[in-house]
């Protein structure tokens, strides 16, 4: 494995979309698939870096937005990032000798926003 290729997947596929289920309700899923990566996964007892292969991972995100909640322009969004709780660690792009840092786990989010309309 070439040192300049460490930590980065050779392939990445993304997809996103939106489904307008109702005049006031929208679902917006997204998917990110990262191909296998190589990176420093630890070190030997003599302190030499160990380069290992991390498997392909998929990140699934789901988001829903309800528009005009209680009043025109007030929107409520709710979603989950990394819905499948995939283990996607931060891998060192160099032979630093320590294991990958843990990546984010499943995250729930809510957003309340207001947009004033002048029409």
């Amino acid at each position: 494995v070439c040192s300049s290729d460490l930590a980065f997947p050779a392939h990445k596929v993304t997809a996103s979309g939106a489904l307008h289920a109702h005049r006031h309700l929208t679902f917006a899923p997204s998917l990110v698939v990262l191909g296998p990566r190589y990176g420093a996964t630890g070190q030997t007892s003599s302190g030499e870096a160990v380069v290992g292969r991390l498997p392909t991972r998929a990140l699934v995100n789901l988001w829903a937005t309800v528009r005009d909640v209680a009043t025109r322009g007030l929107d409520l969004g709710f979603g989950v990032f990394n819905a499948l709780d995939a283990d996607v660690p931060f891998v060192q792009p160099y032979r630093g000798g320590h294991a990958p840092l843990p990546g984010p786990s499943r995250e729930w989010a809510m957003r309340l926003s207001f947009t004033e309309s002048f029409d």
Side-chain angles (χ1 to χ4, degrees):
V1 176
C2 178
S3 293
S4 64
D5 295 336
L6 292 179
F8 299 102
H11 301 92
K12 177 181 176 183
V13 176
T14 63
S16 63
L19 171 66
H20 301 283
H22 183 270
R23 189 177 74 173
H24 296 284
L25 181 62
T26 302
F27 294 103
S30 67
L31 171 70
V32 178
V33 178
L34 300 171
R37 301 179 292 157
Y38 293 87
T41 57
Q43 64 183 17
T44 64
S45 58
S46 62
E48 196 172 317
V50 174
V51 174
R53 181 181 187 270
L54 286 88
T56 298
R57 292 290 188 230
L59 293 168
V60 176
N61 305 309
L62 306 168
W63 191 264
T65 302
V66 180
R67 303 211 183 284
D68 299 332
V69 177
T71 187
R72 187 174 177 193
L74 185 63
D75 298 342
L76 176 64
F78 182 77
V80 58
F81 301 101
N82 193 4
L84 303 177
D85 202 21
D87 181 25
V88 185
F90 295 109
V91 183
Q92 290 185 359
Y94 51 87
R95 297 173 192 265
H98 70 75
L101 298 172
S105 60
R106 183 180 301 123
E107 177 183 351
W108 297 91
M110 185 168 42
R111 178 178 59 216
L112 184 64
S113 62
F114 181 76
T115 305
E116 190 171 357
S117 176
F118 296 104
D119 44 46

